[in-house]
Amino acid sequence: MKKLFLLFCLLQIGVLFLCYPEFYGFYDEDIYLSTTYALQNGSFFYEKAEVPAPFLGIVEADNGTFSQYPPGNSALLLPFTIIHWKLGFLKNILFYIGSFLLFISILRRLDIDPVYSLIFLLHPTLLLFSRTLMSDIPSMFFLLLAVFLIFDKKNIGAGFSLGFLVLLRYPNLIIIAGIFATLLCTKEYKKALLLLPGIFFFSFILLAYIMHTFGFPLGPFSVSGARSFGFQYFIHNFPYYLLSLNVLFPGMLFVAIFSGFKSRKNYFFVIPAFAVIIFYSFYYYIDGGSNVLQKLVKGQRFMVPIIPLLLIPYLNFLHNKKYTRKVFVFIVSLLFVFNCGIQYKHQQLLKRRNHLSKVLREETRGMDILICNRDIDKLLNPYFSKVKFIELSDVKELDLDSLKDNYNVSFVFVELDPDDDYDEKLQWVEYFKSEGFTISYESQDPFPMIILFESKEVQSPMSKVKTKSKPKIGTTDYTLVQSFLPTGQSD
């Protein structure tokens, strides 16, 4: 079994590096990258850092425009992206491997054969998000580090690890509350008190950040996502989590809950995990996919930090069963093949995105401003493109003639999501044609994209763009739109 363990460890990690991501596929990855670039330029605010703000996931406050997410994940990206932005993917891969090593150590403390940690390493959802720039894998790492330190009776250190969770994702507070509830239920009051210094330390840092950006302590509750909770979502989401957490690994959630009733020592794993499941069941969003398998894997994204907590009692139950070792080789082999398929499909998507991004940058070379739909945000980032964006919804309020007189402008429309409705595309194409733009590029491969240039300025996509005398462009969409609104009008 040890040879089997080493073999699959080498295979899984080897394939992960062999299929190293060359681009990003989730919208939030672009937001995290943009924030990291702003931090690299010395500010949380896009304007002060002279970084174009993304269309979504931003907050416009009195002090400026900034990401709706806390800065922890972007801060962790910074040491990698300061060398090259693609090294950012190495961050999550390392946290994934580090989480695996911590998981092995925890299993040993519980007298569970470490070979069963392969179930963690080969979990499809954990693998998928280890290939991203998202905050899920770091959240899992710091939670596992806290659990390990608590088992090692280093509770003060565990408090600092738990405290850092709040800088990664605001809802990670639910995990901390779940751990405190567990310690209170088991009457381990001293452990709970020793966690407080680290938690308070990072809570004060988070509060300082919130006051600096939002300007008031309850700022995060004002963003749209924080208001997207309701019982109407619970009716759909809770059955989904109940099903998916029991299907991907058969009976995992039920076994974990049953073990919690059976033994108080499992409260530590079950209570925080169940608190997170209940919390996200009231949230409007589940990261789905185009088929059942994709939804099973991607849909568990918010569960990533607590999946190891559910796996521990699950594996504790399985490793004592005689039949488990007989089928274990088959199970891990099947998971490995399935994960290879996930990495291949994800890699193909990223290759198409990367290709389209390169085409877009080449075909709009020399442009100052792109008037575009929101999908463009998934293809361009300040790390490799300094062009400014104006969203199509703002066009009718612009003084378009003045904009064209001062800047090199093009219209771009991209269709990246087959499930989205792009019916407005033809209307916008006709509108920009009537404004003196002509089609310079159109393709259906790998995704539908059309580019229109202002014909009087550019003869062909590869021609030299006429240099104009330009006033300074605002560094956010909002500032840019405001500067070209007709007198007396506001958005």
Side-chain angles (χ1 to χ4, degrees), residues 362-481:
E362 185 67 23
E363 294 293 334
T364 58
R365 189 169 54 186
M367 292 294 101
D368 301 310
I369 299 170
L370 301 184
I371 302 175
C372 51
N373 64 322
R374 288 183 173 182
D375 284 20
I376 293 296
D377 247 1
K378 301 175 184 178
L379 299 175
L380 299 179
N381 189 270
Y383 271 103
F384 46 84
S385 174
K386 300 301 187 290
V387 69
K388 306 299 187 292
F389 305 144
I390 296 180
E391 193 175 355
L392 286 172
S393 59
D394 294 320
V395 167
K396 295 298 177 68
E397 296 180 1
L398 288 173
D399 184 348
L400 190 57
D401 290 333
S402 179
L403 191 69
K404 291 190 294 182
D405 288 342
N406 288 284
Y407 301 103
N408 296 314
V409 183
S410 64
F411 161 73
V412 183
F413 199 101
V414 182
E415 303 171 52
L416 293 180
D417 192 340
D419 296 325
D420 277 2
D421 182 4
Y422 296 101
D423 290 343
E424 76 276 16
K425 173 182 175 179
L426 292 179
Q427 297 175 4
W428 283 115
V429 170
E430 292 304 316
Y431 171 79
F432 280 97
K433 283 182 177 179
S434 70
E435 292 290 335
F437 289 73
T438 56
I439 295 176
S440 64
Y441 178 86
E442 186 172 12
S443 176
Q444 299 297 313
D445 183 37
F447 298 97
M449 180 168 72
I450 186 169
I451 301 174
L452 278 74
F453 280 88
E454 187 186 356
S455 56
K456 66 180 180 181
E457 295 294 345
V458 183
Q459 302 302 317
S460 69
M462 302 307 296
S463 65
K464 186 176 181 180
V465 180
K466 180 181 177 181
T467 302
K468 302 179 182 181
S469 176
K470 318 179 187 74
K472 185 179 179 181
I473 302 177
T475 56
T476 67
D477 306 326
Y478 177 77
T479 306
L480 189 57
V481 169

Side-chain angles (χ1 to χ4, degrees), residues 54-343:
F55 286 143
L56 300 175
I58 60 172
V59 178
E60 291 177 353
D62 293 338
N63 294 332
T65 309
F66 58 96
S67 170
Q68 70 178 20
Y69 301 123
N73 190 48
S74 293
L76 291 175
L77 280 168
L78 193 55
F80 299 93
T81 58
I82 203 167
I83 301 170
H84 192 281
W85 76 269
K86 287 188 180 181
L87 281 177
F89 294 106
L90 185 60
K91 182 260 296 182
N92 268 13
I93 292 174
L94 293 177
F95 276 123
Y96 170 62
I97 295 171
S99 298
F100 174 57
L101 296 176
L102 285 169
F103 192 77
I104 291 173
S105 299
I106 293 169
L107 291 188
R108 282 178 173 155
R109 292 297 177 93
L110 297 171
D111 295 322
I112 301 172
D113 191 341
V115 75
Y116 288 100
S117 62
L118 286 174
I119 298 295
F120 170 96
L121 186 69
L122 296 168
H123 193 291
T125 305
L126 304 186
L127 169 71
L128 175 63
F129 287 97
S130 72
R131 295 172 46 81
T132 71
L133 302 169
M134 310 283 263
S135 63
D136 309 274
I137 296 294
S139 295
M140 177 181 70
F141 172 83
F142 284 101
L143 175 57
L144 282 173
L145 179 59
V147 171
F148 172 77
L149 290 173
I150 288 173
F151 281 5
D152 206 31
K153 298 181 180 180
K154 296 176 181 176
N155 299 297
I156 294 178
F160 281 91
S161 187
L162 283 176
F164 190 75
L165 287 174
V166 300
L167 292 181
L168 293 171
R169 279 169 30 175
Y170 295 119
N172 283 342
L173 284 166
I174 303 299
I175 298 174
I176 298 172
I179 287 176
F180 260 88
T182 303
L183 294 175
L184 294 177
C185 284
T186 55
K187 299 182 180 180
E188 296 181 84
Y189 305 120
K190 185 178 179 180
K191 279 186 179 180
L193 287 173
L194 289 173
L195 295 177
L196 290 178
I199 293 172
F200 282 150
F201 176 78
F202 283 109
S203 296
F204 284 130
I205 291 176
L206 180 65
L207 182 61
Y209 166 77
I210 291 171
M211 294 302 296
H212 177 64
T213 51
F214 288 93
F216 62 105
L218 297 180
F221 291 97
S222 66
V223 302
S224 58
R227 301 192 297 270
S228 303
F229 288 84
F231 187 74
Q232 67 271 29
Y233 307 123
F234 183 89
I235 296 171
H236 169 262
N237 293 351
F238 184 69
Y240 163 76
Y241 288 127
L242 204 62
L243 182 67
S244 63
L245 291 169
N246 282 299
V247 168
L248 201 56
F249 282 9
M252 180 178 71
L253 179 60
F254 288 149
V255 168
I257 293 173
F258 175 76
S259 69
F261 285 113
K262 190 176 178 181
S263 173
R264 287 170 64 92
K265 70 177 183 180
N266 287 320
Y267 284 6
F268 193 77
F269 309 113
V270 177
I271 292 177
F274 201 67
V276 169
I277 294 168
I278 294 296
F279 175 81
Y280 279 110
S281 292
F282 285 99
Y283 188 53
Y284 83 103
Y285 183 69
I286 287 181
D287 205 336
S290 57
N291 56 58
V292 174
L293 280 177
Q294 282 189 16
K295 189 154 190 175
L296 275 174
V297 175
K298 289 177 63 180
Q300 292 188 34
R301 172 192 158 191
F302 295 136
M303 301 296 109
V304 165
I306 57 98
I307 282 173
L309 300 187
L310 296 173
L311 279 175
I312 289 168
Y314 183 63
L315 295 178
N316 188 40
F317 171 80
L318 290 180
H319 94 286
N320 288 319
K321 306 300 177 185
K322 292 181 180 180
Y323 61 82
T324 304
R325 286 185 176 271
K326 295 179 181 178
V327 299
F328 187 73
V329 176
F330 173 75
I331 291 170
V332 296
S333 300
L334 190 64
L335 282 172
F336 175 73
V337 172
F338 183 57
N339 287 342
C340 287
I342 289 174
Q343 291 185 87

